[in-house]
Amino acid sequence: MFSEYQILATDFWSQWMTAFVAVCLTLTSPYVFKISRSFLIWICITLATAAKAWSSAHGFESVERQHLLASDDEVVAQPSATEQPADASNKSSSRKHADPPPAQSIPTSESLDTTSNDSGRSAGTSPPTAATVQITQSRPKPALEPSTRGSQNPAIDDLLESSDSRDTVWHYVKPLLQRGAREFRAPSKTMIVIATVLFGLFIAQAVAGVFSTKIVSDRAGLSSSQRCGIWQYDDDAGEDEAYRQDLLNNHNKEARASQYARTCYDSGDSSAPFSCNMFYNQSIAYKTLTNQRCPFASPDMCLEGLYSAITFDTGLVDATIIGINAPSTHKLRRKTTCSPLNMSEPYVQSVSSSTNETYHYHYGSKKDGTAYTFDTSGRPFQWLAPVYSVNTYFSSLDPGDDYWQPLPSLRPPADSTLTIIFVSSMHIYHTKPNLDPIFHATEPRYFDGYRDPYYYNSDPRARVLACVDETKLCSPDGKTPARTTFDPPGMAVLSPDSSRGVGVSDIDLTSKSCWPVTAPASGDNPSPPDYWLTKWSLRSSNIYDSLKFRLGTALLAQESISQSVSLPLGSKHWQSEASQLFATSLARIQYDAWDMAIGADREKPGYVEVTPDEAKGRLCRIVKMKRENYTNVNLLAFIGLPCLAFTIFILSWDVRTFPGVKAPKGVMVVDVIARWLVNISAKLLVGVCRLIALFLRSAIDFSKKTILGKTRGSQETGHASNGDGNDASAFV
């Protein structure tokens, strides 16, 4: 939300800024304690006052007082009825209201016997009957209002008397400074102080650390290069060296995207030779759908049936995913569907002779007049190179200029491209049989000294895989058709959710929301720079541009070969290869956007600038990247958190520090503000209640008047209608 209020600082300064905020928040902890204590005491007093008022209203105080007084009466054993004087009852009754006598000690059994014998001899009569001994129990009278202060728990007294956390610590440390550690009578008290202080510091530091981390966000920063632009190799350069440099450059770009996809799209391993955190988003997410419909014009072209294809689809995503920084960015969608092709006749025909085994692959013709697409001769397994031989052909959105013209039954949907791949397994052994339609290996071969056989592909034919690519550029909302300068009228209309596309139509651009990425632009109105950057970033995002310069080395299966033996491959390994090629095409989008933002191909021989005039100089500083050793610092948080700490410090001041202010001790600024807010709220509440009461009273009065008026009207009408009858009865 506040990303525009950020600065990009080095890690050194960002750490210092974070530490500064953490120190400010940590130093604020005593004042937070002081304010919290004030509010806690206020809440406790409020609750106690409310409880006392409620108890007084319900008579619980008088009942409790009587119960306490009754529990303090003496328990006295009265004499027997035979020896009680006549006025005993009167004395006893009067004694009930007298003050209790002082406690007496209980005589021993020996003293009781001696007394009884002496009294018997002196009287000269028989010993008196047993009499009960008068015993007085003294019970401490409980206080009606117990106090927590005193010598019972000095630690609690110190806590209650302290005004803040520093004052609390001073109460505990002061005896150590004045009388020494030996006179500090409560050793456990020292441990309590130390534990409390350390725990408080830990909590304060933890809270401060949590809030201080809010000032740093991420490592994203805008490209600062002023050499941005779109640079492309000029085919008319006429220099062999420049052409070779262009081939090497494209090979490196393709390999770079493939390596990034293998490392960062699957696992994002931080131990990789290069970081996966260089782009604004590490990867472009996509979903994989299996058992999809055959994407070609004739479903018979798919080897395993109508629903045997696999689809990879990013869905409709915003261009910000590749780091474009603009107020309103366009949306894009990449979708690829792949399937192994049918290899029966007439698509694959044998033209073998007695000396040579040759196959022609009839999946379309070539521009040089050849009626077939590809041919193989001999048995590839007999060639001792343990590699996969790969050849590929491409059909673009403008097939009239393509070198390869696919069969009508193989043509892809409108506004999509087609890539066909021929894979031949050469001298490669597998430890286990594999029924994969592309990486087939079922023929066993035994070797001396080995119990289990190795397996290889004995079929001399190349296996065929074809992929259909759809690359769409859509309006910023992905739904609203917009009249733009992107394409001329009559271009194909695509729905964002279309899976097979539609044919060329005469619908005007006003009804379009998505269009092919290679569609030309008209010059009516200038297009925003983010459009051109997104458009050119997508131009090389397809299966063909993911392997045409690397061919066999682009396969995952090639990396599984050691000497002439391959690691076991899955029965659907061709799907893994298709997924890797699709991920490579997505990584190519990310790299191409960055190359244009920094003008990476500017100084390469044979390259010329093809940036549209309306976008020249406007592609700079619109791409976000993550840079090592740099961090974004949120200025609002960096300034706001220390200001918050200073505000808390001001609110904890005693109001008596201000000149001319008279207030009780301990009243803080926050107390005054809180009371003022409470008073204002109470006045507003009372005012609202009065307005409601006045409104209700007015409504009730109005209702009464209305009802009274209707009643009087009905009574007057009744009198008028009965007037003649009353006069007649009176006359009678």
Side-chain angles (χ1 to χ4, degrees):
M1 179 179 179
F2 302 106
S3 58
E4 61 271 19
Y5 302 105
Q6 293 183 350
I7 58 173
L8 190 65
T10 61
D11 288 345
F12 174 80
W13 285 110
S14 63
Q15 291 174 3
W16 271 105
M17 297 167 79
T18 304
F20 170 74
V21 174
V23 170
C24 291
L25 295 178
T26 304
L27 294 177
T28 312
S29 58
Y31 309 105
V32 174
F33 172 83
K34 186 176 181 180
I35 295 175
S36 302
R37 177 182 175 276
S38 175
F39 277 100
L40 183 61
I41 292 175
W42 181 81
I43 293 173
C44 293
I45 293 175
T46 303
L47 294 177
T49 304
K52 184 176 181 181
W54 188 84
S55 300
S56 300
H58 291 77
F60 286 111
E61 184 178 358
S62 59
V63 174
E64 183 181 2
R65 185 179 294 274
Q66 292 177 5
H67 176 71
L68 292 174
L69 290 175
S71 65
D72 292 333
D73 290 344
E74 296 177 348
V75 181
V76 180
Q78 300 296 336
S80 64
T82 57
E83 297 181 358
Q84 186 175 3
D87 57 347
S89 60
N90 296 333
K91 294 180 179 180
S92 177
S93 61
S94 63
R95 192 180 297 115
K96 292 180 180 179
H97 303 284
D99 294 332
Q104 297 179 358
S105 61
I106 302 175
T108 62
S109 59
E110 297 178 356
S111 62
L112 290 174
D113 295 338
T114 304
T115 305
S116 61
N117 293 336
D118 292 343
S119 60
R121 285 193 298 268
S122 62
T125 59
S126 60
T129 59
T132 58
V133 181
Q134 184 175 357
I135 302 174
T136 303
Q137 288 184 346
S138 178
R139 184 177 299 175
K141 184 177 180 179
L144 296 178
E145 297 180 357
S147 175
T148 57
R149 302 185 182 277
S151 59
Q152 294 181 355
N153 198 335
I156 296 179
D157 294 342
D158 292 340
L159 284 174
L160 293 175
E161 291 174 359
S162 61
S163 59
D164 55 20
S165 58
R166 293 179 301 176
D167 196 11
T168 303
V169 175
W170 174 247
H171 273 292
Y172 290 124
V173 177
K174 184 177 180 181
L176 288 175
L177 299 177
Q178 293 180 348
R179 292 172 292 174
R182 294 183 178 180
E183 297 186 11
F184 199 64
R185 299 181 179 180
S188 60
K189 198 174 182 181
T190 306
M191 299 305 299
I192 293 175
V193 172
I194 296 175
T196 302
V197 172
L198 293 178
F199 181 74
L201 290 176
F202 170 74
I203 295 297
Q205 184 178 7
V207 174
V210 170
F211 281 95
S212 62
T213 56
K214 300 298 181 182
I215 72 170
V216 294
S217 55
D218 53 29
R219 296 182 178 274
L222 292 175
S223 58
S224 59
S225 175
Q226 300 298 323
R227 305 169 61 185
C228 57
I230 304 172
W231 299 80
Q232 195 174 35
Y233 178 74
D234 185 8
D235 294 332
D236 298 329
E239 298 180 8
D240 294 339
E241 181 63 24
Y243 177 72
R244 287 191 292 269
Q245 289 293 330
D246 175 60
L247 292 178
L248 180 61
N249 183 39
N250 284 286
H251 179 277
N252 293 337
K253 288 183 177 181
E254 187 180 294
R256 176 184 61 178
S258 177
Q259 183 61 39
Y260 184 86
R262 297 186 188 189
T263 306
C264 305
Y265 267 65
D266 293 332
S267 61
D269 186 8
S270 58
S271 62
F274 57 91
S275 175
C276 293
N277 297 321
M278 60 181 301
F279 295 116
Y280 182 67
N281 289 286
Q282 177 174 312
S283 61
I284 302 175
Y286 64 92
K287 58 184 178 181
T288 303
L289 305 173
T290 57
N291 300 323
Q292 297 299 296
R293 183 181 176 87
C294 185
F296 311 115
S298 175
D300 294 336
M301 296 301 301
C302 290
L303 176 64
E304 297 179 340
L306 179 60
Y307 291 96
S308 59
I310 186 171
T311 298
F312 311 98
D313 191 358
T314 63
L316 205 61
V317 297
D318 198 278
T320 54
I321 199 170
I322 61 176
I324 295 180
N325 183 48
S328 178
T329 56
H330 289 73
K331 297 187 181 299
L332 59 95
R333 183 182 184 182
R334 273 285 292 115
K335 181 179 178 181
T336 297
T337 302
C338 298
S339 174
L341 293 185
N342 190 345
M343 296 180 59
S344 62
E345 292 188 1
Y347 305 115
V348 180
Q349 299 179 6
S350 175
V351 290
S352 303
S353 63
S354 58
T355 59
N356 193 12
E357 193 172 6
T358 303
Y359 291 91
H360 289 174
Y361 301 84
H362 293 269
Y363 295 104
S365 60
K366 291 187 288 188
K367 198 172 183 179
D368 59 2
T370 307
Y372 51 86
T373 306
F374 184 63
D375 66 297
T376 57
S377 299
R379 289 189 167 270
F381 181 75
Q382 296 178 354
W383 303 340
L384 299 181
V387 296
Y388 289 97
S389 175
V390 175
N391 294 84
T392 181
Y393 297 90
F394 180 70
S395 177
S396 66
L397 290 176
D398 188 12
D401 296 333
D402 294 335
Y403 178 74
W404 169 59
Q405 303 294 323
L407 292 175
S409 58
L410 190 59
R411 290 191 183 278
D415 300 309
S416 58
T417 61
L418 175 64
T419 302
I420 188 170
I421 306 170
F422 297 91
V423 180
S424 298
S425 299
M426 302 183 72
H427 197 76
I428 301 173
Y429 289 102
H430 296 261
T431 57
K432 293 182 179 181
N434 193 345
L435 297 177
D436 185 273
I438 303 298
F439 303 92
H440 193 79
T442 57
E443 186 71 21
R445 186 169 185 176
Y446 290 86
F447 293 90
D448 294 338
Y450 292 89
R451 183 182 61 181
D452 297 328
Y454 286 89
Y455 299 87
Y456 67 96
N457 181 17
S458 60
D459 189 353
R461 298 177 301 173
R463 302 289 172 147
V464 189
L465 177 68
C467 295
V468 174
D469 290 296
E470 295 181 17
T471 306
K472 301 175 184 177
L473 192 60
C474 304
S475 58
D477 60 1
K479 298 178 181 179
T480 305
R483 175 59 179 170
T484 63
T485 67
F486 306 144
D487 307 297
M491 189 58 60
V493 180
L494 294 179
S495 169
D497 297 325
S498 173
S499 60
R500 294 179 61 84
V502 295
V504 177
S505 65
D506 294 330
I507 302 177
D508 192 75
L509 279 177
T510 54
S511 61
K512 290 185 60 174
S513 59
C514 294
W515 50 89
V517 70
T518 56
S522 63
D524 298 338
N525 297 307
S527 301
D530 67 278
Y531 159 73
W532 290 108
L533 194 60
T534 306
K535 176 184 176 74
W536 281 79
S537 298
L538 294 171
R539 290 181 68 90
S540 298
S541 179
N542 53 68
I543 299 299
Y544 180 71
D545 286 305
S546 297
L547 83 161
K548 70 176 181 180
F549 289 103
R550 296 176 299 141
L551 298 177
T553 59
L555 299 179
L556 296 173
Q558 185 65 52
E559 297 182 358
S560 301
I561 301 173
S562 176
Q563 294 184 348
S564 295
V565 180
S566 172
L567 296 175
L569 303 177
S571 59
K572 295 289 185 181
H573 182 74
W574 69 271
Q575 295 182 354
S576 300
E577 297 286 355
S579 177
Q580 169 61 27
L581 293 175
F582 182 76
T584 300
S585 70
L586 298 182
R588 186 67 182 267
I589 300 174
Q590 297 175 281
Y591 271 111
D592 286 353
W594 178 244
D595 286 344
M596 286 183 287
I598 63 175
D601 298 328
R602 182 187 185 97
E603 297 180 355
K604 289 183 171 57
Y607 278 71
V608 295
E609 186 175 9
V610 294
T611 308
D613 293 338
E614 59 189 16
K616 286 185 177 180
R618 302 174 62 192
L619 301 180
C620 303
R621 302 185 61 84
I622 65 170
V623 176
K624 293 181 290 186
M625 294 286 288
K626 291 183 178 179
R627 308 300 297 170
E628 295 293 335
N629 303 324
Y630 285 88
T631 304
N632 279 315
V633 177
N634 192 322
L635 287 179
L636 292 181
F638 176 69
I639 298 174
L641 290 177
C643 290
L644 176 63
F646 183 74
T647 302
I648 293 175
F649 171 69
I650 296 297
L651 293 177
S652 64
W653 280 5
D654 194 320
V655 295
R656 295 182 303 172
T657 58
F658 296 96
V661 177
K662 296 181 179 180
K665 181 180 179 181
V667 178
M668 296 180 294
V669 175
V670 68
D671 295 328
V672 177
I673 296 176
R675 291 173 184 174
W676 180 78
L677 292 176
V678 169
N679 291 335
I680 294 296
S681 302
K683 291 180 180 180
L684 291 175
L685 181 62
V686 171
V688 171
C689 292
R690 287 180 177 177
L691 289 176
I692 294 175
L694 182 61
F695 174 76
L696 294 176
R697 182 177 298 175
S698 301
I700 293 172
D701 292 343
F702 178 77
S703 300
K704 288 182 178 180
K705 291 180 180 180
T706 303
I707 295 172
L708 183 60
K710 291 182 178 180
T711 304
R712 289 180 178 178
S714 60
Q715 291 177 355
E716 292 176 359
T717 304
H719 284 298
S721 61
N722 297 329
D724 297 337
N726 292 337
D727 294 341
S729 58
F731 176 78
V732 174

